[in-house]
Amino acid sequence: MSNGTHLARAPHVIMGHMYSFHGIDISETAEDVYLTLVERGPMAPAELASVLRVTSHAMSAAVGELTGLGLVGPDGARLVAHPPRAALDVVVESRTKELAELRNGVEELSRFWRDHHIDGVSYIEIARTEVARRALVRRLYDEAAEQLRCLTIGFTGRSAQPNSLAPGFREALTRGVRCSVVYGAEVLRDRPGREGVQTSIDLGERARVFPGIPLNMGICDDRFALVCPPASNWGRRHHILVQRSDLLEALIGVFDSFWQIAVPLPTAVDTANDIGATATAENRQLLTYLSGGLTDDSIARELGVSERTVARRITRLQEVLGAQTRFQLGVQASRRGWL
């Protein structure tokens, strides 16, 4: 974690038309099952498994996914595909509500930051000196026994230090602590930040990126959280320690919401897909820069190639994965496991 506290498969082609499941979180087998039922009509699960050449266990799991979304239902001993719009409109509405709740949560937290000089609250501790701030950061990593969940926008404001690995981070991973971090896209626009993120991933961190991360925050197991809101002057920032309380539960919920909507960042393990394209280290690096919001010109300088070459590589990846936009490219990359 920087101190500052997947590509999906190509669309299906049926009768000359391309069909994909952008943004629908189901397995490839479930996609195959649904499209086969639409194309061929009602079929028994055993017959479907034979046609798709999958095991009965994989078929049962896929049917469970589709049934849960309302896309498939029983028709006697057979399965039938339901029209997608009515079923998936419910999913869209649910995700819209989740985003609205996330925004409301961030607003509530923002009001809290503006009113952080609260007296008489036993579960809150505010560190205003550099010594106290460093001690709290070290405590976050030293006391973690099971998991660390973090949001980070890195160092901000005047006199900010270069982004680097937090003290105690390596040791926490060595102890087997699971570390999950959502980075603000601005961290990936900074070379030291990108290098620190990649080092963290190589050490075993699970990392994702989202452009709207509002602050630095670390949650130690379910015991306490360390929050550092942005400050115009880095030297005058505050670290806020939140012990077990309703506020801590709210902070955990905020992290979980960001984790769900953030885009995974690539690991060091190369993955091949089933159509001959491979998730090379170069492709992963390119996708990481895209996730961070770098322009083609900036990416070209980082890779040491021309801007035209960058555009050509992006276009090629879009063609391979059937993505019409760069956003869809990131989604497809994440679902295939390249990110």
Side-chain angles (χ1 to χ4, degrees), residues 203-240:
L203 289 170
E205 174 185 280
R206 295 193 306 159
R208 298 188 176 188
V209 63
F210 187 75
I213 302 301
L215 45 71
N216 292 309
M217 178 177 74
I219 302 171
C220 177
D221 300 324
D222 289 327
R223 296 186 295 110
F224 68 87
L226 180 59
V227 179
C228 180
S232 58
N233 188 326
W234 180 255
R236 299 182 63 183
R237 71 197 185 283
H238 295 102
H239 281 12
I240 304 169

Side-chain angles (χ1 to χ4, degrees), residues 117-173:
H117 294 284
I118 300 177
D119 296 324
V121 179
S122 60
Y123 57 82
I124 293 175
E125 174 185 340
I126 301 175
R128 296 182 174 87
T129 68
E130 184 63 24
V131 171
R133 289 192 291 263
R134 288 183 178 179
L136 286 181
V137 171
R138 190 74 201 204
R139 179 182 169 189
L140 178 73
Y141 292 97
D142 287 350
E143 295 189 14
E146 296 181 358
Q147 65 174 331
L148 285 163
R149 288 165 287 184
C150 304
L151 305 176
T152 180
I153 54 176
F155 291 112
T156 60
R158 296 190 304 275
S159 304
Q161 305 169 20
N163 288 301
S164 59
L165 293 183
F169 171 76
R170 291 175 182 267
E171 293 84 349
L173 286 176

